[in-house]
Amino acid sequence: MAPLLVSALFCASALAWVGYFRWKDRRRPEPWVLLLLVLGGGAAAALLALAGFDRLEALGVGTAWEDVAGPTLRRSLGAALRIGGVEEVAKLLPVLLLALTDRHFDEVLDGIVYAACAGVGFALAENAVMWSGGALGAQEAVARALAAPLTHALLAAPAGLGLALAVLRRRPWALALPMGLALSAAAHALYDWLLAQPGLPPGVHTFVVLALWVWLMRMSPKLARLPPRAASSAAARG
């Protein structure tokens, strides 16, 4: 496939998924300019995560895919958790900046929407790096263009929800934000670990994404019906 065609496919898929998550908040949709800014922030976060992995590797801490598929459970799970933690923290940073500075971040559902957009941007940059480095063939590029943005978006959603609860409820950040971030990192680690294990049935890792998508479909209508800022208390009650 021509590089221009692949680039267009990556970008079109990313914009389509951003539109999907914006549609989830269609009662009070977020401005496109902010969604695209967070998308760009997510792309920058992918580069930040790569720098973080390089630093950990320099310190002798394994974060390579070979470590996730390692011979021992302790080694493989440890590597998966480190990868999940680094990537989910990086994805949350642009959302945190927006949440603390922009008045449009005024309902709990916004945390999920913006975190998802950061995840889409992260996947866009990750796909571009992998394609430019020759790690993807044509079929892999098409598959990742369609699936990777949704996967990274859904993995970031619990962290976005935790951030929104912490910011909008004015409660100590020591509970909601770390819990949401821990859930995102754990889900990410589980997804990577299941994907890396050679003895497991193909596609078993997709159940992690499916579970998060079902959760999103159940939670987003409830949050969307609530007025701004009042949504946080209802979300906390479940």
Side-chain angles (χ1 to χ4, degrees):
M1 296 179 68
L4 184 61
L5 179 59
V6 173
S7 299
L9 177 62
F10 286 161
C11 293
S13 177
L15 290 176
W17 283 118
V18 168
Y20 168 77
F21 286 102
R22 185 177 188 267
W23 175 77
K24 285 292 182 182
D25 193 20
R26 57 192 176 275
R27 289 174 179 264
R28 290 177 296 274
E30 299 305 302
W32 270 103
V33 63
L34 292 181
L35 296 175
L36 294 178
L37 281 173
V38 174
L39 176 77
L47 303 179
L48 180 63
L50 286 176
F53 293 144
D54 288 342
R55 180 59 179 167
L56 288 174
E57 291 289 345
L59 294 173
V61 180
T63 57
W65 193 249
E66 293 77 12
D67 296 306
V68 183
T72 65
L73 183 63
R74 179 179 179 180
R75 176 180 174 183
S76 61
L77 282 179
L81 284 169
R82 286 189 290 272
I83 292 173
V86 168
E87 293 195 359
E88 295 308 321
V89 168
K91 284 191 281 184
L92 194 61
L93 291 177
V95 188
L96 173 61
L97 179 61
L98 180 78
L100 295 177
T101 59
D102 198 280
R103 62 180 178 81
H104 288 94
F105 195 99
D106 60 355
E107 53 181 327
V108 168
L109 186 55
D110 292 350
I112 295 176
V113 171
Y114 284 114
C117 290
V120 171
F122 191 100
L124 177 61
E126 190 177 66
N127 286 345
V129 169
M130 293 178 70
W131 170 257
S132 63
L136 297 177
Q139 292 183 344
E140 292 86 357
V142 172
R144 284 195 60 88
L146 298 175
L150 176 63
T151 298
H152 272 292
L154 291 173
L155 290 173
L161 177 59
L163 172 62
L165 288 171
V167 171
L168 298 177
R169 294 186 70 191
R170 306 299 183 187
R171 298 288 181 85
W173 289 41
L175 183 60
L177 179 58
M179 286 183 62
L181 188 55
L183 285 173
S184 283
H188 195 138
L190 179 60
Y191 177 90
D192 284 352
W193 187 83
L194 292 173
L195 179 60
Q197 302 310 303
L200 295 179
V204 67
H205 59 286
T206 60
F207 284 100
V208 177
V209 178
L210 180 60
L212 287 169
W213 206 350
V214 170
W215 168 77
L216 175 68
M217 289 188 291
R218 289 175 59 88
M219 282 299 299
S220 56
K222 298 177 183 179
L223 297 176
R225 288 194 296 267
L226 298 174
R229 298 191 181 272
S232 56
S233 60
R237 292 195 298 269

